[in-house]
Amino acid sequence: MASAFDLHWHWRAWRAQERWSQSKSDIEAWLCSQPKSHECLLLLGGSAGWMMSDRFLDRFTRVVLMDMDPLAGPLFRLRHRRALQGSRKTFVSLKADMHVQLPQLLEDEPHALVLFDNLLGLDTLQTRSIEATQRRLSALSSLLEGRDWGSIHDRFSGPGGALPPLSSSTFHRLSDEAFSPTELIRVVGGSGEWTDHSTHGIFPGGVPTRFVAWPIVPGYWHWLQAGWVGPSFQGSS
Ligand SMILES: C[S@@+](CC[C@H](N)C(=O)[O-])C[C@H]1O[C@@H](n2cnc3c(N)ncnc32)[C@H](O)[C@@H]1O
């Protein structure tokens, strides 16, 4: 998946828009479930916003995208120009590694909503070590103490049926406590070896989360887990 200049990811995402449409609408429902209480959005790993919702972006007057991919900013601006335009709107794109730059960004934008947009589940691809990833993810939790933040990230991935067999609406409301990996895998016709992305500890205990099925390529599925954390989100999911 995308890390730096990644044409293959953008090409694949562009071609997959129809196959991803159910996942995108499940993600939009989750994004728009949070209360409208922020003017600024810090979007980390947003790429070109292939799965981002204009309805959600419309809520903010300032959007700051941080991504390591130099194509992310220009493509995001192009794809979401309707939601980003307007005299009161600012869009800033930063090409940076958020593990290095996030502390400064949080200081610069103390009231912004922070969204990890489907990148935390890729961390082991960068560190090549479950322990190192767990250290980085727990450092993030401490950094975000007292802030409003959300994440959508890979929880499991593996081979499954070729066609979307479901509206994931039945499953996207499962709480973390209620979910069963075996059941999630079964509903997408899963078989064979599935990968656990070591993201089970990202949300503090008791945070309500949703699961979204994402057929990344035909016959291969990701189960994404999404949740909101922080003072503004008590009681929402
Ligand atoms: C799966 S893509 C995100 C897709 C995006 N949610 C969308 O709707 O198109 C993951 C993105 O995270 C970015 N990324 C991964 N690790 C990062 C890091 N440490 N700092 C900044 N960006 C990162 C990648 O460059 C990639 O664009």
Side-chain angles (χ1 to χ4, degrees):
M1 207 161 292
S3 56
F5 192 86
D6 194 341
L7 271 177
H8 179 245
W9 156 252
H10 295 296
W11 168 244
R12 191 162 74 172
W14 179 67
R15 296 194 57 198
Q17 291 300 288
E18 199 182 322
R19 191 175 61 255
W20 294 359
S21 61
Q22 179 63 51
S23 318
K24 282 170 67 180
S25 72
D26 289 343
I27 291 171
E28 177 172 78
W30 167 70
L31 288 169
C32 294
S33 71
Q34 62 92 39
K36 293 184 193 178
S37 53
H38 306 82
E39 299 213 330
C40 176
L41 173 69
L42 303 186
L43 187 56
L44 305 166
S47 184
W50 292 107
M51 301 175 86
M52 177 45 67
S53 148
D54 276 352
R55 189 151 71 84
F56 177 66
L57 291 177
D58 274 341
R59 296 174 162 211
F60 303 94
T61 51
R62 178 170 170 77
V63 175
V64 181
L65 171 75
M66 182 176 280
D67 199 295
M68 295 195 306
D69 177 355
L71 289 176
L75 286 177
F76 192 98
R77 189 190 294 276
L78 183 70
R79 287 179 40 73
H80 294 285
R81 58 193 176 281
R82 197 207 49 74
L84 299 173
Q85 73 193 8
S87 55
R88 288 182 55 247
K89 294 217 164 195
T90 338
F91 173 66
V92 177
S93 82
L94 306 168
K95 184 201 162 297
D97 180 345
M98 67 105 190
H99 287 290
V100 178
Q101 295 298 333
L102 185 57
Q104 185 60 54
L105 191 57
L106 291 174
E107 240 180 89
D108 294 346
E109 305 283 358
H111 305 296
L113 175 66
V114 181
L115 176 60
F116 297 92
D117 192 11
N118 200 357
L119 78 162
L120 298 181
L122 304 173
D123 203 67
T124 48
L125 295 180
Q126 289 167 19
T127 62
R128 307 265 163 212
S129 151
I130 291 176
E131 292 73 29
T133 281
Q134 278 167 351
R135 276 198 300 279
R136 296 218 297 189
L137 296 183
S138 71
L140 281 181
S141 301
S142 322
L143 194 61
L144 293 161
E145 195 70 46
R147 296 287 300 239
D148 286 332
W149 64 276
S151 178
I152 180 159
H153 48 255
D154 295 317
R155 183 70 186 270
F156 303 105
S157 60
L163 290 172
L166 74 163
S167 149
S168 53
S169 57
T170 331
F171 287 88
H172 75 239
R173 286 179 191 281
L174 275 181
S175 71
D176 198 40
E177 290 75 27
F179 95 100
S180 137
T182 323
E183 182 61 359
L184 291 181
I185 292 168
R186 188 190 64 75
V187 290
V188 295
S191 59
E193 191 88 351
W194 272 60
T195 302
D196 180 332
H197 288 257
S198 304
T199 48
H200 48 275
I202 286 178
F203 297 119
V207 167
T209 62
R210 300 183 184 198
F211 286 86
V212 174
W214 177 32
I216 184 164
V217 293
Y220 200 91
W221 291 79
H222 285 228
W223 271 109
L224 303 174
Q225 187 174 20
W228 295 112
V229 183
S232 301
F233 302 116
Q234 312 302 337
S236 59
S237 64

